[in-house]
Amino acid sequence: LFEARAILLGRLGRHDQALELYVYRMHDYLKAEEYCKRVYETGTKTESVFLTLLRLYLRPTAKINEDLLPPALDLIGRHNSRLDIVETLQLLPPLVTAQDVRAFLVEALRAPIFDTSVIRHISKARNDQLSRRLMLLQTKRVKVTDGRICPQCHKRIGNSVIAVHAPR
């Protein structure tokens, strides 16, 4: 009866209530996770469904006698790529050790910090800056006269063949 109700609530888009039935009434955490897998889609409203389930585990809305920390840690371990890093860390109770969420933390540290478009624009700006600098160095001219002396060997240059190098 509860499962049919949860399915109907899910079809109505009331995912938080459907997950509450799975977690608090049926105590079936695997079905709750399967539900999340079924409705999860990146870039839509259902993108935060795993975070909703984690919130139900760690901040229960109903009075329960069970400790929901183990299923919460299992969820974090299995679906760390589908959870928002900052919100997940804020939800965790203070007594959870870094070892308990090690896989999540490793994955979070590997996540790209900058968006690819930002990196692309920074690279383009750096390339433009170096191109201007190269053009400036290439436009410098050296006038060689009979009285000009080489700063390295202190010989008179005159009509000798010379090469000018950019400063280091």
Side-chain angles (χ1 to χ4, degrees), residues 132-151:
R132 283 192 300 276
R133 193 168 167 196
L134 177 64
M135 193 171 35
L136 179 69
L137 289 173
Q138 288 175 340
T139 58
K140 286 190 175 182
R141 304 280 182 229
V142 176
K143 186 174 182 180
V144 179
T145 60
D146 287 337
R148 185 91 187 222
I149 297 175
C150 175

Side-chain angles (χ1 to χ4, degrees), residues 73 76-77 92 95-106:
L73 294 176
I76 291 171
L92 287 174
L95 297 177
V96 173
T97 63
Q99 188 63 33
D100 292 339
V101 289
R102 182 177 183 274
F104 174 74
L105 293 175
V106 168

Side-chain angles (χ1 to χ4, degrees), residues 6-60:
I7 292 170
L8 287 174
L9 286 169
R11 288 192 180 153
L12 291 172
R14 293 160 52 185
H15 304 294
D16 52 341
Q17 292 175 345
L19 287 171
E20 281 180 10
L21 284 175
Y22 282 119
V23 174
Y24 300 142
R25 299 285 179 142
M26 296 167 50
H27 304 284
D28 195 344
Y29 311 122
L30 290 176
K31 280 193 180 180
E33 197 171 321
E34 288 298 321
Y35 175 84
C36 290
K37 287 182 197 175
R38 197 170 53 246
V39 300
Y40 176 84
E41 285 184 43
T42 306
T44 62
K45 287 189 259 181
T46 62
E47 187 174 39
S48 65
V49 72
F50 281 98
L51 193 61
T52 303
L53 180 58
L54 184 65
R55 195 173 287 119
L56 290 174
Y57 286 151
L58 297 175
R59 305 273 195 273

Side-chain angles (χ1 to χ4, degrees), residues 100-156:
D100 292 339
V101 289
R102 182 177 183 274
F104 174 74
L105 293 175
V106 168
E107 194 65 33
L109 291 174
R110 286 187 185 151
I113 297 172
F114 294 109
D115 189 29
T116 54
S117 65
V118 173
I119 292 173
R120 187 175 57 245
H121 288 297
I122 290 173
S123 298
K124 185 180 180 316
R126 177 74 175 142
N127 190 28
D128 291 346
Q129 181 185 23
L130 291 175
S131 296
R132 283 192 300 276
R133 193 168 167 196
L134 177 64
M135 193 171 35
L136 179 69
L137 289 173
Q138 288 175 340
T139 58
K140 286 190 175 182
R141 304 280 182 229
V142 176
K143 186 174 182 180
V144 179
T145 60
D146 287 337
R148 185 91 187 222
I149 297 175
C150 175
Q152 293 291 328
C153 64
H154 303 293
K155 291 183 182 176
R156 195 170 57 93

